[in-house]
Amino acid sequence: MKKDLESPEDVALLVDNFYKKVVLNEVLKPFFEGLEWETHLPKMKKFWRFLLFDEPGYTTNVTEKHLQLPLTKEAFDEWLALFFLTLDEHFVGSKVLLAKERANIIAVGIKSKMNLLEN
Ligand code: HEM
C-alpha cells in the first residue's frame, strides 16, 4: 500500500531513487558526471524537507545554481518526468501533489530566466 510522504526517511527514499533514474537517463546523465554525490544528495534531501515540511535552514538560491549549466527544454522535460514517476512509484497523497507543483514552478522559473519557455 502506497502512502504519502511523511518523514525524512521518505524524502531520502524519494531523492535516492530519483537520482538512480537520473544517472541512467541519456539526456540527464551528462549534467551529473563528476558531481560529488556525498554532498549533492544530502543537499537535495534538505531542500525537499524544506519544500514539503517547512524544515528551516535551506537558503540556497536554486535558480542561480542552474544558470551556468547548458540546460535545454528537453532536459527539463526528462527531469520532471523522472521526478513525477519516482513520486508515483513510491507515494500517494497531498505531499505528492505539492512536490510536483513545486518542482514545476521552479522548473518554469529557471526556464524563464534561460529563455527556454515556449512562445
Ligand atoms: C534540466 C533539469 C535539471 C538539471 C539537469 C539539473 C542539474 C543540477 C546539477 C548538475 C546540480 C549541481 C550543481 C552544483 O552543485 O554545482 C543541481 C543542483 C540542484 N538542483 Fe538541479 N537540475 C535540474 C532541474 C532542477 C529542478 C526542476 C529543481 C527543483 C525542483 C532542481 C533543484 C536543485 C537543487 C535544490 C540543487 C542543489 C542546490 C544547492 O543547494 O547547492 N534542479 N541541479
Side-chain angles (χ1 to χ4, degrees), residues 28 31-32 35 40 43-44 47-48 58 60 62 65-66 69 71 75-76 79 103 106-107:
L28 294 175
F31 293 101
F32 295 89
L35 197 71
H40 185 65
K43 275 191 219 166
M44 296 308 298
F47 168 74
W48 282 108
Y58 188 84
T60 307
V62 172
K65 277 269 164 182
H66 293 82
L69 300 172
L71 301 178
F76 278 101
W79 195 105
I106 292 167

Side-chain angles (χ1 to χ4, degrees), residues 18-19 22 27-33 35-37 39-40 42-48 51 58-66 68-80 83 99-108 110-111 114 116:
F18 170 60
Y19 283 103
V22 164
V27 175
L28 294 175
K29 72 178 177 195
F31 293 101
F32 295 89
E33 263 157 27
L35 197 71
E36 281 196 30
W37 292 101
T39 49
H40 185 65
K43 275 191 219 166
M44 296 308 298
K45 290 169 190 173
K46 197 171 176 62
F47 168 74
W48 282 108
L51 285 194
Y58 188 84
T59 53
T60 307
N61 182 328
V62 172
T63 303
E64 288 290 328
K65 277 269 164 182
H66 293 82
Q68 306 308 319
L69 300 172
L71 301 178
T72 57
K73 192 188 163 295
E74 188 193 16
F76 278 101
D77 290 346
E78 293 290 325
W79 195 105
L80 288 172
F83 187 65
K100 290 180 180 177
E101 196 179 279
R102 293 279 161 92
N104 202 38
I105 289 169
I106 292 167
V108 168
I110 303 171
K111 278 196 277 188
M114 300 182 94
L116 292 174

